[in-house]
Amino acid sequence: MTEKLLEIKDLSVIYKTDEETVYAVNDLNLTLNKGETLGLVGETGAGKTTTALSIMRLLPDRTGRITRGCITLGDLDITRASEADMRLIRGNGISMVFQDPMTSLNPILTVGEQIAEVLQLHRLDMSPEQKEKRVDEILEMVGLPADRKHEYPHQFSGGMKQRVVIAIALACEPQLILADEPTTALDVTIQAQILKLMKELKQRLNTAMLFITHDLGVVAQICDRVAIMYAGEIIEIGTTDNIFEGKKHHPYTVGLFGSIPDMTKATRRLNPIEGLMPDPTAPLGGCKFHPRCPQCMEICKTAKPLNIIDGTHAIGCHLFAGGAGHDARINLESTGGAE
Amino acid sequence: MLRYIAKRILMMIPVILGISLIVFSIIELSPGDPVSLMLGDGASAQAVAELREQMGLNDNFFVRYARYIGHAVTGDFGISYRNKVQVVNEIASRFPTTLTLTFWGVAISVLIGIPVGVISAIRQYTFIDAASLFSALILTSMPAFWLGLLLILLFSLKLGLLPATGVATMQHFLMPSVTLAAASMATIIRMTRSTMLEVIRQDYIRTAKAKGASAFRIVYKHALRNALLPVVTVIGLNFGTQLGGAIVIESVFAMPGIGTLMVAAVRTKDTPIVMAAVLFVALLASITNLIVDVLYAYIDPRLKSQFVKK
Amino acid sequence: MKRFHLIVSCFLIVAFLLTGCGGNKPAADKAPGGKKDSLNFAILAESKELDPQKSSDTLTYVLLLQVFDTLIKQRPDGSLVPGLAEKWNISPDGKEVTFTIRKGVKFHNGDILTTKDVAYTLNRAIKSAYTSKFTSVMQSAEAVDDTTVKLKLKHAYGPILFCVANPSLAIVSQKAVEAAGDNFGKNPVGTGPYKFVKWVSGEKIDFTRFDDYYRGPAKIKDVAFRFITDATTAAIALEKGEIDVLHNPSKSDRKAQMDNKNLQYHEIESAYYYHISMNNKTGPFADKRVRQAVSYAIDRQNIVLGGLDGIGAPDEAPMPPSAFGYPKDFKNNPYDPEKAKKLLAEAGYPNGLTVKFKINQAAMYAKPAEVIQEQLRKVGINAELELMERATYLEEVTKKFNYDISLYVITALLPDADYVCYTRLHSSMLGNGNNFTETNIPRLDAALDKGRTSQSKDERYAAYREVSEIVKEEAPIIPVMTAKFAIVANKAIKGVSSSTVDLHEVYDYSWE
């Protein structure tokens, strides 16, 4: 009953400038099923946004490059598709909601024009009247009065702008939405509204979503599955239950949870993870987390850990290498489907 | 918006008055007697005194200034000392030449400068970019009169394609307009390039890309108009420089414009002509500024809402 | 986007409007026969209004001569021939000139020239401030009968016939002047070979042949005088054939134009001469010895070479050699720097002195002034050169005498020694930009007066030799050199020649 929508295999992405090469994403594997919401969690610089931009093929022209792996959306290999094909996919098959609604909208076009543009680009069969109607519809859908379509972005508040951005993303009812920290720039009450809206719309339109965030609280609210990303790799993936309720965790995930205040316990202070992410310009051997890992072993410094699968839950850590690890990768691909 | 324009036009009046007073004083304070210049060597003292009296030059400064303004308000800008013609007619006969020249100068600099700047920005660090920046540098550092003469040598004398002097046909305006456009074209290229580079890094350009818009559509619809605002400012400011440049260019290409008129009038201390020409140019510059400001509002809705609130 | 289209539309509308303004009218310059029937004559500045009695500059004269005639015509070689007056006669006391007016001469408006028009013109010139320099000796004019006009003078005046021949005294139609009032200068009506057609401000003046001209119609039909202020552009336009004649070409184009097989180049000694003026009343040059020192310090030949690129000639007497009265073979003080130093020492400047050397900033002065500055430095005079804009120069130097030494030219608008000597050196011309050296030497005044009023040619020559001797000795001014007048034209035009008085008649021209 679950149908695979997006599959990422062995994806590696680098940013190359004259001075240095940044290894942003390293051998990343991920699948996303239709209608599913996957949370992609990690610190700043873990490669979450790079992953999303790779899916859109919007990496910076001169510097960003996919060096290895492939991304398939249905039957289409995105890494090898022509630019013209990609233009048909963007905004239509896959949409993206960006982090900062304040700067994501063009200040000199009315919001109506900006929503209608997606329709002009992808719904060539629609008459101008139908497009207008669709714009009204979609505005109402994101909770904005349709008559405000003649206004300019500066006449809207931050939350309302994000609604507009979401409206743009949903206009063509894409199969997949990439939401890159859509609520980070908003204040908390607005955050909740937007999350609620996204959840509702997603269900209504049965759209899959890759939800990028560093906020575990948000993840718990909206995601079916969660992938934890560290230094360009996924180090733990599972259903939201697996991650939030499971007993076994990658030490980094443990650290991540430890750095969130828990209202139910009387903690004197938070436990941040010691140290910094490894230098992305000089790839580290072994487990990328070993310099910061409180449970680091000798093997962690030399060998890259395999994914240890336990049902819907996979962890890339030597701690759990009890023999079940040989077919980890193959198994990982079939772990999806939290419904 | 209309109220705003009306207000701006009203505000021009004190500006123009101020300029008139300043120019009148400058002509007044600079040495030299128009009558002696008119009569030349060998004129007798008596002849000079008579003519001065006849021309009302013996009244004091304020009387003459007030008289001038009084007449000017009714549209009477006096009679040229040198040529004895109605100044208004003289300005009117020279005006189309200068306006046509300046218009095409601005048009060419915009029509070439903006596309080149855009291409330069979206092809940053390529050969095209380097070539356009290099030519911009050459164009700015080349004095107008020299460029004008080079063009005449090449296109008139060697190739025989274009006339070197005069204003009879549009072909006559081609080389002068290009010469006039050269320097400001360079500014426009560099300005467009830098603002364009800034704009194409904006989030909303990424949003547009994510919508599936083509590169051309992104540049034309999303980036260009945002990048144009500072460029329009530069074009507006350049207009004054362009008028100044027109003086040199009119002389090189022997065109009967306001520029050559003004130069001749300053040399002979022909106050009525100098005053009228300067006021005319000032008025033109004020109107251009107004047009630029209105244009802003058209390009940027954020500014328009400010006008409306006023 | 709609707004964008609006802006583009506005742009296009303005563009079309302006294109309309430009007009489209390439002049047809070939006659049906295929022979060229028009001529473009370029001058380097816009002329003033074409009213003879309101003009006194050589540039405007060039144009006046096409439209108007004078009673006596001055030919390019300087000779005087009958013009509108068939003959003339000066009374024995020199105080009355009688002109016999040619019959049947027509004005452009079809009217016949009458003696009334002539008398009206002369009286108009006498009253005009512009022409007072030529008419100050004239008392009044009167039409005696249908053919005779009498001109009364205040006193006998040697160069009176040159005055009458001057374009400022060209004959106008009384009726036309009175009808046009102040606009006459923009709609001139004369008896000349060409009729005024139109004046395009800043660009050109068009003339067309007057078929009833008394000397017979001109050979070239349409003539345009074009104002091209940039000399280099004018030279290119001439080479390209956009213009056919260029008056006063730039010296820097001289060689190329002389070598160009398609052009003809004519030059002749000019009617103006460079002279050093000194402040005779205040400052170091009030001392005659210091002025004399300057006259021994300058090497004329070198100034011609360095300042005029050799295109000129040294001038030793205080007038251009083309002027009547020039003393032949006259020698001024020779170049003798040692003597100059000695004179300076005697005057109390054994270690030299520093003076203000003010000039008009025009290129024609700057180069010669630098050579002179260098020559003065060699004898110990440190002349601080100061370049001024023309109007400032005239005010500061010629009106307020705020200078020590200067270099200037004076043009003999009348080719007579009186014209240049009297204004510069006679004590009655003190002030008002004429005698700005404040020269006041009684015996010089006497010689000048004699030259001015004498009726005898020999006496006048003698007077100007004396004037030259006094100037040599007293050195109120120091003559330096004359430059050359030039005219360059398409080789296919016949009849082009250089003129000592810089007057050119297109009537003399024809296409080969």
Side-chain angles (χ1 to χ4, degrees), chain B residues 133-153:
Chain B
L133 284 183
F134 181 72
S135 19
L137 184 73
I138 298 279
L139 288 179
T140 0
S141 33
M142 202 150 27
F145 71 91
W146 192 61
L147 177 63
L149 284 177
L150 285 186
L151 288 177
I152 293 179
L153 281 176

Side-chain angles (χ1 to χ4, degrees), chain B residues 132-211:
Chain B
S132 76
L133 284 183
F134 181 72
S135 19
L137 184 73
I138 298 279
L139 288 179
T140 0
S141 33
M142 202 150 27
F145 71 91
W146 192 61
L147 177 63
L149 284 177
L150 285 186
L151 288 177
I152 293 179
L153 281 176
L154 181 62
F155 289 102
S156 292
L157 204 56
K158 294 282 174 244
L159 301 176
L161 292 175
L162 293 167
T165 59
V167 288
T169 66
M170 280 319 291
Q171 286 162 17
H172 287 90
F173 280 93
L174 191 58
M175 284 196 290
S177 307
V178 169
T179 312
L180 184 61
S184 61
M185 195 194 304
T187 325
I188 291 174
I189 290 176
R190 282 180 304 174
M191 196 74 193
T192 309
R193 180 180 180 272
S194 71
T195 57
M196 198 67 189
L197 281 175
E198 209 172 283
V199 167
I200 55 180
R201 281 173 178 63
Q202 295 292 319
D203 287 349
Y204 54 80
I205 297 302
R206 198 181 52 185
T207 307
K209 283 184 190 162
K211 280 180 184 173

Side-chain angles (χ1 to χ4, degrees), chain C residues 15 41 86 133 158 179 208 223 332 343 367 400 435 447 451 453 473:
Chain C
F41 193 116
E86 275 175 331
K133 49 188 128 181
T208 191
V223 177
N332 210 310
L343 281 163
K367 265 173 85 182
K400 294 186 178 158
N435 179 1
T453 51
E473 197 211 318

